[in-house]
Amino acid sequence: MKYMGSFLVNSVPVILCAEAILFAYKAGLFNIGAAGQYTVGIIASLYTSLALGWNWFFCLLAAIVAGGIWGLIAGIFKAYFNVNEVIAGIMLNWIGLYICNIILGGEACMNQSKSETYEIAEVNPSGILPGFMQEFFGGNQYVTIAIPLTIVVAIVILIVLNKTTFGYELKATGHNKEAAKYAGMNAKRNIMFTLLISGAIAGMAAGLLYLTGIQHFKIASSVPGMGFTGIAVAFLGGLNPIGTIFAGLFVEYITLGGQYLNTNYYNPQVADLMIAIIIYLCGFVLFFKTILNRPGKVKVNANAEPAKTEEKEV
Amino acid sequence: MGQKESFFKRPAVQTLLASVLCAVLGILIGFIILWFMNAEHASEGMGAILTNFFKYRIAQRH
């Protein structure tokens, strides 16, 4: 159970990034900027924890706010200047990454000898998320409230999208912006809110992972793949918030298992290739669903006699 | 009276089937690639991917 706990903690960001993408997708927006929102979530959570010494709650809040603001920027561009959210998102991903490298690369957060951020548990123990059922998971110190919070977020998204007027408005705006506007909905506000919430969820994903202390940030030359993997996970989960939890667990299961491929027989890149292929195939869910949903052929008997109809006398 | 919907025509069932199909197909294509690269150890490699996730190392702080 000890290792199961680490597996679950590592699944948290994948699941939440997928939830962020799913939320935007339901509202007709393709939030490819989730990776950037995740990155600014890393900045906010680690900087407030390591440099400012804040409590875990405020660090997590900072990550959520930072991710939300990053999403909102793309939302404002989309709503007021009709800039495609994919283009804005991709640009913001890279801007976020370089800001992240600059801020977290400083002496306040980065251990220069190890080239990775300091251990939160040593620098600021109050910055670590509270534990959750650690005894059940064999005393695994990384099992924190991140796991139940992820499930709560998925349930909240499910309720908001399916049971509230706000969710209905978001979906209506996504289906047809002009029709929603005609029906009296504020389409611009809905677009901005969608990307704000989506970004906040992606930022939360980063906060929940890094505030457990299981991972340290290293200077990166590419945008974290979490945001992109989230796209495949969201589709594999059938664009359902609960289905996405299971899809996220599956993808993480394959990712972690891939690290154990024997490199004596295979090139180390093969593990990544395998994972990439499986994740890529996961994106074909809608295609297979369309095939399964094809109506069956109706057999027509050409020799059949026409049905007799009774003629009523007037 | 409306016609009863077939079990396999339900949207939730179709989504589940499509997802499982994708996952299985992904694993299958992955296995084929492993087989092409080293046929002798393909099944062993696939077994490592599918069974080793519990061995995830990190469980204690350094």
Side-chain angles (χ1 to χ4, degrees):
Chain A
M1 288 312 281
K2 201 176 196 175
Y3 303 107
M4 181 74 178
S6 295
F7 162 68
L8 289 177
V9 171
N10 273 282
S11 306
V12 164
V14 183
I15 295 169
L16 281 180
C17 280
E19 299 285 356
I21 288 157
L22 176 149
F23 187 84
Y25 191 83
K26 286 277 184 186
L29 295 165
F30 196 61
N31 186 16
I32 205 162
Q37 292 141 19
Y38 178 82
T39 311
V40 293
I42 299 173
I43 304 175
S45 58
L46 287 182
Y47 189 79
T48 51
S49 180
L50 296 171
L52 304 179
W54 287 7
N55 181 274
W56 68 268
F57 179 77
F58 296 106
C59 297
L60 184 60
L61 202 64
I64 294 170
V65 171
I69 291 171
W70 215 245
L72 183 64
I73 295 171
I76 291 171
F77 276 115
K78 171 79 178 175
Y80 287 99
F81 308 109
N82 207 21
V83 175
N84 192 306
E85 74 276 10
V86 174
I87 306 292
I90 292 172
M91 299 298 176
L92 286 167
N93 284 351
W94 289 99
I95 295 169
L97 176 75
Y98 294 126
I99 293 175
C100 190
N101 282 344
I102 292 167
I103 293 178
L104 295 182
E107 285 182 1
C109 301
M110 182 80 60
N111 185 341
Q112 305 295 335
S113 60
K114 284 186 178 174
S115 297
E116 63 179 27
T117 48
Y118 291 111
E119 189 94 38
I120 299 176
E122 287 171 8
V123 177
N124 174 25
S126 68
I128 290 283
L129 291 173
F132 173 77
M133 292 173 70
Q134 288 182 343
E135 293 309 312
F136 179 75
F137 289 101
N140 188 331
Q141 294 168 322
Y142 296 111
V143 178
T144 60
I145 55 164
I147 297 165
L149 273 179
T150 305
I151 297 166
V152 169
V153 168
I155 294 169
V156 168
I157 290 174
L158 187 75
I159 293 168
V160 167
L161 284 175
N162 297 321
K163 303 284 178 197
T164 64
T165 318
F166 176 63
Y168 182 79
E169 275 197 24
L170 292 186
K171 286 195 284 186
T173 309
H175 283 304
N176 192 330
K177 199 170 91 174
E178 298 305 320
K181 209 185 290 179
Y182 184 74
M185 296 171 194
N186 190 338
K188 283 181 182 172
R189 189 201 66 178
N190 285 344
I191 289 171
M192 288 191 295
F193 260 123
T194 304
L195 285 169
L196 171 79
I197 295 168
S198 181
I201 299 167
M204 187 183 185
L208 287 181
L209 179 71
Y210 282 88
L211 292 176
T212 57
I214 200 166
Q215 266 194 27
H216 304 96
F217 178 78
K218 290 174 185 167
I219 297 292
S221 57
S222 62
V223 180
M226 209 69 81
F228 303 117
T229 309
I231 298 170
V233 172
F235 281 97
L236 183 66
L239 293 170
N240 178 301
I242 305 299
T244 300
I245 295 177
F246 294 104
L249 291 174
F250 170 73
V251 168
E252 193 58 27
Y253 158 71
I254 292 291
T255 309
L256 292 180
Q259 293 169 3
Y260 288 87
L261 197 65
N262 195 334
T263 48
N264 292 328
Y265 305 131
Y266 295 102
N267 188 310
Q269 304 288 334
V270 175
D272 291 334
L273 179 70
M274 282 278 304
I275 295 158
I277 286 168
I278 293 168
I279 292 173
Y280 187 76
L281 257 288
C282 292
F284 280 72
V285 170
L286 291 183
F287 171 71
F288 285 117
K289 204 177 163 187
T290 312
I291 290 175
L292 288 171
N293 203 21
R294 257 195 329 204
K297 286 178 185 172
V298 180
K299 285 181 183 173
V300 179
N301 187 356
N303 301 323
E305 288 178 13
K308 286 176 185 173
T309 50
E310 289 176 12
E311 286 178 10
K312 283 181 182 174
E313 287 177 13
V314 182
Chain B
M1 261 177 72
Q3 237 181 345
K4 205 177 176 184
E5 198 182 23
S6 156
F7 178 75
F8 290 102
K9 287 285 172 193
R10 287 180 192 171
V13 176
Q14 285 192 344
T15 306
L16 183 70
L17 280 177
S19 298
V20 171
L21 200 64
C22 282
V24 171
L25 208 64
I27 291 170
L28 198 70
I29 293 177
F31 178 74
I32 292 168
I33 287 172
L34 284 183
W35 190 78
F36 266 109
M37 298 191 101
N38 190 337
E40 205 179 329
H41 296 99
S43 50
E44 185 191 323
M46 202 65 213
I49 291 174
L50 294 179
T51 58
N52 272 339
F53 76 106
F54 267 131
K55 290 184 186 170
Y56 190 67
R57 296 176 192 102
I58 309 166
Q60 295 295 326
R61 293 206 168 90
H62 306 297

